[in-house]
Amino acid sequence: MTATPEPRVFSFPHPVDEVSARLVATGVVAQVVLYLVTGWDVLLVILAYGFVARVLTGPTLSPLGRFVTEVVRPRLSVEPREVPGPPKRFAQAVGAVLATAATIAALGFGASGLATGLLVALVAAASLEAFIGFCLGCWMFRLLMRTGVVPASTCEACDDLWSRTG
């Protein structure tokens, strides 16, 4: 019997379960709305940390990612739907930039208007993913691949899939 290799801490899953991705997006929407309603600064820090953790490690170091993959997802009787990981990682990176910029704007510079604007953009993108299954970051990734900014070798599964669907 061969031992199953331990997952690397600093890796991102490929493929990704689309159901889990949508559940994480739902959690992001809830966090942002809760912050916008309450103004609790700690929620911004948790939001930014969660995105950075998911970019670096997938769900491994993300409290929201772990909660979804270990608690919520196993209780759902929905079949997994595997999608390529690199576009989802890119989407998480865009979220990390928005969440981190909002945190710095609000906590570092007192620019609550700017922070709110960034969070509205973030919640709009997360809502698209959570509620209708459209990943704006994945769409952006596809455009970057089509224009050659992101090489096809970054996600051969994406290149193959997108070349078949036009």
Side-chain angles (χ1 to χ4, degrees):
M1 171 163 40
T2 59
T4 305
E6 287 295 316
R8 294 185 331 220
V9 172
F10 291 102
S11 65
F12 194 88
H14 178 57
V16 171
D17 176 24
E18 178 73 13
V19 177
S20 294
R22 289 182 72 176
L23 290 167
V24 167
T26 303
V28 167
V29 170
Q31 283 180 292
V32 172
V33 169
L34 186 60
Y35 170 75
L36 292 173
V37 169
T38 65
W40 294 338
D41 291 339
V42 70
L43 291 172
L44 281 180
V45 175
I46 292 168
L47 182 71
Y49 167 78
F51 270 109
V52 171
R54 286 188 298 278
V55 169
L56 296 175
T57 69
T60 306
L61 297 178
S62 162
L64 177 58
R66 302 247 348 220
F67 177 72
V68 164
T69 58
E70 295 175 11
V71 177
V72 178
R73 184 65 178 107
R75 288 167 171 74
L76 299 178
S77 60
V78 179
E79 289 295 318
R81 180 172 173 257
E82 292 184 341
V83 296
K88 294 294 186 188
R89 187 178 212 172
F90 178 81
Q92 291 294 315
V94 172
V97 169
L98 289 172
T100 302
T103 303
I104 293 169
L107 304 182
F109 298 103
S112 61
L114 175 59
T116 299
L118 293 166
L119 292 172
V120 167
L122 179 61
V123 83
S127 293
L128 287 171
E129 171 78 11
F131 306 124
I132 64 172
F134 177 77
C135 177
L136 185 58
C138 299
W139 179 79
M140 291 168 50
F141 186 85
R142 178 180 183 181
L143 288 178
L144 292 172
M145 281 189 71
R146 282 190 164 179
T147 59
V149 174
V150 174
S153 61
T154 302
C155 183
E156 292 173 5
C158 302
D159 190 43
D160 182 50
L161 174 68
W162 293 331
S163 66
R164 286 186 277 134
T165 61

